[in-house]
Amino acid sequence: MVTLTVFTPVYNRAHTLPRTYESLCIQDCKDFKWLIIDDGSTDGVESLIREWQKKDNGFEIQYIYKENGGMHTARNLAYEKADTCLNVIIDSDDWIERNCVSLVVQKFNETGLDSVWFKADYWLEAENRKAPMDFNMYFYNMPEGYLTLNETNLGSLPLITWNKAYRRNFLMKHGLDWPEKIIYEDVEFYWKAFTKTRQIYLLDKCLYFYRQRAGSIMQSSRGDLEKSRTASAGKFKGGLAGDGEIETKYHTCTHLLNAALKVVVGPDVHQ
């Protein structure tokens, strides 16, 4: 059995998924499989994937179709179906560097930790070029090495999931899944994961390309983000009940959640 599952939720992304596929085909380590969860696409993406499955890619492509239910349902189904030791997300319009798999697997083997993080660059679609993910230069400039998550640094770390790989048994042990009916579901997932792990390994390499395009979720209105922040904070507080180690730090953690969102959307996040 291979070591890593790369999983991709997809909905009507036949025009962007080939770039993701191409980046997997050129990986210098093929110790992975690609799990695609199709969330009810109607643009013919299934035919595209079926053609790829017929090729000698050097890795398995597993395709699962489901009725449309939203990205959180696709991600949760991927976690349910993934049967490898490690997993990582690639969104359906993004791609990774050719040494991403090899470096991630290597660091898990070396460190024995539950999570390995790496850095990312934007791909500016309108300008056809890459650019630093400069919304968080604190994280972008951090050196490689072990990182202990604490009240001092957590508010300055990126609330995203596609630059973080996890051990499957860690996710299963703590019942980590994606919240329903909330924009920026990455935020709540991140905070739940924080309560369960305190140390990660950070690779000081940009291994992921995030396609920046007009109309993406990252470009959504600040009002929608504020509603999601409030919902996430409430669920986070509820999740801390019974966790003696973290419960007393709720107010600190919600303060850090606000601080992190301020990094993403600007100083008027509270307005």
Side-chain angles (χ1 to χ4, degrees):
M1 179 183 295
V2 296
T3 302
L4 175 72
T5 295
V6 176
F7 69 87
T8 301
V10 59
Y11 177 71
N12 289 347
R13 284 290 179 265
H15 61 296
T16 63
L17 196 61
R19 188 72 179 266
T20 310
Y21 169 67
E22 290 165 6
S23 76
L24 294 175
C25 288
I26 63 171
Q27 289 299 300
D28 61 11
C29 171
K30 297 296 180 66
D31 189 16
F32 70 94
K33 68 167 133 181
W34 190 21
L35 172 58
I36 304 170
I37 306 295
D38 185 348
D39 190 36
S41 295
T42 59
D43 66 344
V45 70
E46 178 178 359
S47 298
L48 190 64
I49 296 166
R50 296 299 186 193
E51 287 301 312
W52 294 338
Q53 287 178 316
K54 298 174 184 178
K55 297 182 178 181
D56 182 12
N57 302 296
F59 59 91
E60 176 188 355
I61 300 177
Q62 183 179 359
Y63 172 79
I64 298 175
Y65 177 88
K66 60 180 286 297
E67 294 298 320
N68 181 257
M71 182 180 289
H72 64 280
T73 64
R75 288 177 170 177
N76 285 335
L77 182 58
Y79 274 178
E80 177 186 331
K81 297 298 183 181
D83 57 0
T84 58
C85 296
L86 312 175
N87 63 69
V88 68
I89 297 173
I90 302 180
D91 281 346
S92 56
D93 46 4
D94 301 337
W95 61 95
I96 56 176
E97 285 282 15
R98 66 185 307 273
N99 59 345
C100 182
V101 170
S102 60
L103 289 174
V104 167
V105 170
Q106 177 186 347
K107 285 305 172 185
F108 271 109
N109 290 337
E110 290 178 357
T111 65
L113 293 174
D114 291 320
S115 186
V116 171
W117 298 9
F118 44 87
K119 298 179 182 179
D121 278 327
Y122 286 125
W123 182 263
L124 305 181
E125 189 174 67
E127 302 175 32
N128 196 36
R129 66 177 180 90
K130 69 178 182 178
M133 193 164 278
D134 55 3
F135 76 83
N136 191 335
M137 293 307 294
Y138 172 83
F139 177 75
Y140 199 85
N141 292 324
M142 289 184 73
E144 176 156 341
Y146 292 90
L147 176 62
T148 299
L149 307 181
N150 55 49
E151 292 81 0
T152 301
N153 62 26
L154 197 66
S156 299
L157 299 177
L159 300 175
I160 51 181
T161 55
W162 31 256
N163 75 324
K164 302 172 179 68
Y166 293 98
R167 290 191 186 274
R168 182 177 184 272
N169 59 7
F170 166 75
L171 299 170
M172 297 300 102
K173 176 182 178 181
H174 298 296
L176 296 178
D177 58 8
W178 302 91
E180 298 184 9
K181 298 179 181 179
I182 184 170
I183 302 173
Y184 294 93
E185 66 274 6
D186 292 11
V187 173
E188 184 178 329
F189 181 91
Y190 177 88
W191 286 100
K192 289 192 294 186
F194 160 63
T195 66
K196 306 303 179 184
T197 184
R198 289 309 184 90
Q199 190 176 59
I200 60 93
Y201 190 90
L202 172 63
L203 287 161
D204 185 22
K205 293 178 176 63
C206 291
L207 300 177
Y208 191 101
F209 290 98
Y210 177 87
R211 187 192 299 264
Q212 188 74 44
R213 55 187 174 81
S216 67
I217 291 178
M218 289 289 282
Q219 298 296 321
S220 297
S221 72
R222 289 174 176 169
D224 288 341
L225 179 64
E226 182 68 11
K227 292 177 183 177
S228 293
R229 178 201 63 82
T230 303
S232 290
K235 291 186 178 182
F236 177 59
K237 180 179 180 181
L240 294 179
D243 189 335
E245 181 183 0
I246 303 295
E247 188 172 3
T248 58
K249 298 180 180 177
Y250 164 68
H251 293 293
T252 300
C253 291
T254 50
H255 170 75
L256 291 171
L257 176 57
N258 284 320
L261 289 174
K262 189 180 296 183
V263 171
V264 176
V265 300
D268 58 343
V269 65
H270 298 294
Q271 297 178 5

